[in-house]
Amino acid sequence: MTFYAMLNSKPMGKHIIQVCKSTTYHVNKSKEIVKIFEQRLGIKIGKTTKDGIFTLILTNCIEACNISPSAKIDEEVFGNLSREKIGNLIKIQGKRIMLKTVNLISCNIGKIVPDLV
């Protein structure tokens, strides 16, 4: 096993969605989960959304075989995924991004916030 998968030659989104491609990935029909993520985000595996928010990738292991099909968004693992759960996850992550942005703006009124410029 190497860690070269962690190196990227292209810019990644603010939030990385990783779907496990191990044996349980195949057994638990995670290919369907990947298709749902692709449809919801409008991107394919290895791509980033136009707004730069999400990147969708396959990875070797997220240590969640017991709750497969599963995905990892940043450092948080979500399991027993379905079409509905994936839709909710993407909405929740989008709301978190909006709240962080609003908090940064309200805390930095009158200041230039490099992340938002």
Side-chain angles (χ1 to χ4, degrees), residues 16-20 33 37 56 62 64 67-73 76-81 86 89:
I16 310 302
I17 301 172
Q18 300 175 62
V19 179
C20 182
I33 297 304
F37 270 114
L56 179 62
I62 58 172
I67 55 173
S68 183
S70 55
K72 186 175 179 181
I73 302 177
E76 200 169 350
V77 176
F78 301 92
N80 302 311
L81 293 177
I86 291 170
L89 278 175

Side-chain angles (χ1 to χ4, degrees), residues 94-104:
K95 286 179 183 177
R96 284 183 184 171
I97 293 163
M98 286 173 45
L99 287 173
K100 286 180 184 178
T101 303
V102 168
N103 286 337
L104 280 172

Side-chain angles (χ1 to χ4, degrees), residues 14 48-54:
K14 279 191 166 198
T48 300
T49 55
K50 289 179 183 179
D51 59 8
I53 300 295
F54 295 105

Side-chain angles (χ1 to χ4, degrees), residues 25 28-37 83 86:
Y25 164 84
N28 290 317
K29 301 178 183 176
S30 291
K31 286 183 182 180
E32 294 170 19
I33 297 304
V34 169
K35 287 179 185 176
I36 296 167
F37 270 114
R83 180 173 297 280
I86 291 170

